Amino acid sequence: MIRWMLLIFILLVLVNSTSGILRKVGLGRLPGDFTFRLLGREVFIPFASAVLVTVLLFSTIKLVAWLF
């Protein structure tokens, strides 16, 4: 459980640091992704995008493991 929480935290940090690029692709505009201003800075919390990325990575890993 702690591994998954750590993985989700790392994914949130990575998505937050690349939010400008990901918005052009379409991630970051999903329902469940929050953007708000706090003390003059824009804060981006990508809940739905993080879940989507995690599900895609998990499915890809399972598929590769099943094939090999």
Side-chain angles (χ1 to χ4, degrees):
M1 181 69 172
I2 294 192
R3 289 181 186 172
W4 282 108
M5 290 175 59
L6 182 62
L7 178 67
I8 289 172
F9 174 75
I10 291 170
L11 282 174
L12 285 172
V13 169
L14 289 174
V15 168
N16 196 19
S17 64
T18 60
S19 64
I21 297 168
L22 292 175
R23 284 184 188 162
K24 291 179 184 176
V25 176
L27 292 175
R29 287 183 261 170
L30 298 173
D33 292 341
F34 301 105
T35 304
F36 58 92
R37 289 203 166 270
L38 182 65
L39 300 174
R41 296 192 68 167
E42 186 173 322
V43 179
F44 175 61
I45 303 175
F47 288 122
S49 295
V51 170
L52 179 66
V53 169
T54 303
V55 168
L56 289 175
L57 285 174
F58 182 74
S59 299
T60 303
I61 290 169
K62 283 294 191 179
L63 179 64
V64 169
W66 181 74
L67 290 174
F68 297 105

